Amino acid sequence: FWLKVRRRVLVDTPASPEHFLLFILKNPLVKMGKAAKSGSKKVAAAPLSQKKKAQTKTNPLFEKRPKNLRLGGDIQPKRDLTRYVKWPKYVRLQRAKRIMLMRLKVPPAIAQFNSTIDKSQAASLLRLLKKYQPETQKDKKERLVEMARQKKEGEAAQTKKPVVLKFGLNHVTNLIEQKAAKLVVIAHDCDPIETVCWLPALCRKKDVPYCIIKGKARLGTLVHQKTATCVALTTVRQEDNAELGKLAESFKGMFNENVEIRRRWGGGIMGQKSQHVTQRKEKAIQIEQAKKLGLSIA
């Protein structure tokens, strides 16, 4: 800068010192230089990260231990991954079947298995049936051995065949056809349902009281099996006659003589989205009809 001033001075200024001083004072380059020199430079502000943080007193008993949830770090928290699970095929099938039976219209012969006895009735029925559980293999063997021993010794056989539940689809069907069954209990979740869907009609024809109960596994436990489609009572002991008669009478009214069960269709329940769409359509139709009526009245 001062070299520039000096060159200008040497070229443009006169020889006298007075004129030289006036030239320097009037020259804009000199003024700029003075202003630049006199003006103090602004220092750039420090970044935010370098600001001094106020020191806070920390309790050593409660020290912060932040978790590192990245790869190889701390154990991840438990999350609900139900939606992301690839379920086994049998689970997917039974869920799809359940939804399909809700959506499609189900004929009365199959829809009747959705009308089952309530919890209190089921409890009293199972309590009665449990008294007539069939023998186990071990008990039966012991009874037959005792009978054989008595026969060998020439004694009268004192051990009699116990009164028990009858189970097995063919066996129960024969008992119904012979009108030997006093009460028939059918499971609601037999698969395929076609194995038992005709059984209520046969019971009505032969005038045998029947009922539909939830859970083939519950019937299975009564007869020492995993599952049982149906069980039947043919005879009971003297003390249980009144209870059996009461149950049979109530089930006759609920199932045998109930015409509504034979006419009621099942299914036809759509999903939430479909229900909302149909509701909107119905609302639009109602609005349209109201407008037409309003125009005709006017």
Side-chain angles (χ1 to χ4, degrees):
F1 170 78
W2 286 111
L3 285 169
K4 284 181 184 179
V5 172
R6 191 177 174 191
R7 281 180 201 142
R8 289 287 298 277
V9 168
L10 289 171
V11 174
D12 300 331
T13 56
S16 64
E18 291 85 9
H19 287 108
F20 176 73
L21 284 170
L22 283 168
F23 174 77
I24 287 171
L25 291 171
K26 287 176 182 178
N27 200 317
L29 284 170
V30 176
K31 283 179 183 177
M32 278 174 68
K34 279 182 181 178
K37 195 175 181 182
S38 62
S40 59
K41 288 184 180 179
K42 286 185 179 178
V43 182
L48 292 172
S49 60
Q50 290 181 359
K51 279 186 177 178
K52 286 184 178 179
K53 292 178 182 177
Q55 287 184 354
T56 54
K57 289 183 178 179
T58 55
N59 192 337
L61 294 173
F62 305 102
E63 189 183 345
K64 269 191 177 180
R65 294 185 184 87
K67 284 188 177 181
N68 174 25
L69 298 174
R70 298 181 70 178
L71 285 173
D74 292 312
I75 295 166
Q76 297 286 325
K78 284 187 179 180
R79 296 182 180 91
D80 185 16
L81 302 173
T82 314
R83 286 176 60 82
Y84 307 101
V85 174
K86 187 174 182 183
W87 294 99
K89 195 171 183 181
Y90 79 94
V91 174
R92 281 178 279 156
L93 279 172
Q94 67 191 14
R95 286 180 180 178
K97 183 186 173 184
R98 183 178 171 80
I99 291 164
M100 190 180 70
L101 287 172
M102 283 172 70
R103 301 283 183 269
L104 300 175
K105 283 189 176 180
V106 181
I110 294 169
Q112 67 181 333
F113 287 92
N114 291 330
S115 334
T116 57
I117 58 176
D118 60 28
K119 197 175 179 180
S120 60
Q121 285 176 321
S124 59
L125 175 64
L126 290 169
R127 204 182 303 118
L128 174 66
L129 296 179
K130 200 172 182 182
K131 293 178 184 178
Y132 297 96
Q133 277 189 312
E135 295 173 299
T136 59
Q137 290 291 330
K138 189 182 176 183
D139 293 340
K140 189 177 180 180
K141 188 180 177 181
E142 284 174 4
R143 180 172 62 81
L144 292 172
V145 166
E146 184 63 26
M147 277 179 72
R149 188 189 61 75
Q150 287 172 356
K151 197 174 182 181
K152 188 179 178 182
E153 290 175 1
E155 298 174 10
Q158 292 175 358
T159 55
K160 293 179 181 178
K161 193 178 179 183
V163 178
V164 291
L165 272 173
K166 309 296 180 185
F167 65 98
L169 190 58
N170 290 338
H171 190 190
V172 171
T173 306
N174 289 332
L175 291 170
I176 295 166
E177 285 171 346
Q178 293 160 15
K179 296 186 179 181
K182 298 271 183 76
L183 177 65
V184 177
V185 184
I186 308 164
H188 88 297
D189 56 347
C190 297
D191 189 34
I193 199 69
E194 288 82 2
T195 52
V196 290
C197 66
W198 46 269
L199 208 54
L202 182 65
C203 289
R204 282 195 297 270
K205 187 182 177 183
K206 297 292 180 181
D207 198 28
V208 174
Y210 77 94
C211 69
I212 297 165
I213 193 170
K214 280 188 177 179
K216 57 186 177 183
R218 287 206 284 182
L219 295 183
T221 53
L222 293 171
V223 293
H224 312 297
Q225 303 286 326
K226 284 184 181 177
T227 57
T229 53
C230 54
V231 295
L233 273 174
T234 50
T235 53
V236 291
R237 288 187 286 272
Q238 189 68 33
E239 63 267 20
D240 295 322
N241 268 331
E243 193 178 354
L244 178 64
K246 200 186 289 181
L247 286 169
E249 199 64 38
S250 67
F251 294 151
K252 257 195 175 183
M254 279 178 67
F255 294 96
N256 292 58
E257 295 164 8
N258 191 352
V259 183
E260 187 61 30
I261 276 182
R262 286 174 267 168
R263 292 177 182 170
R264 194 190 304 136
W265 282 66
I269 303 163
M270 304 310 290
Q272 285 293 324
K273 289 180 184 176
S274 301
Q275 284 179 21
H276 291 157
V277 169
T278 50
Q279 283 169 10
R280 281 199 293 271
K281 281 181 183 175
E282 285 169 7
K283 198 175 180 182
I285 290 163
Q286 285 171 4
I287 291 163
E288 195 66 32
Q289 286 174 348
K291 281 180 183 177
K292 283 179 183 176
L293 287 166
L295 289 168
S296 63
I297 289 160

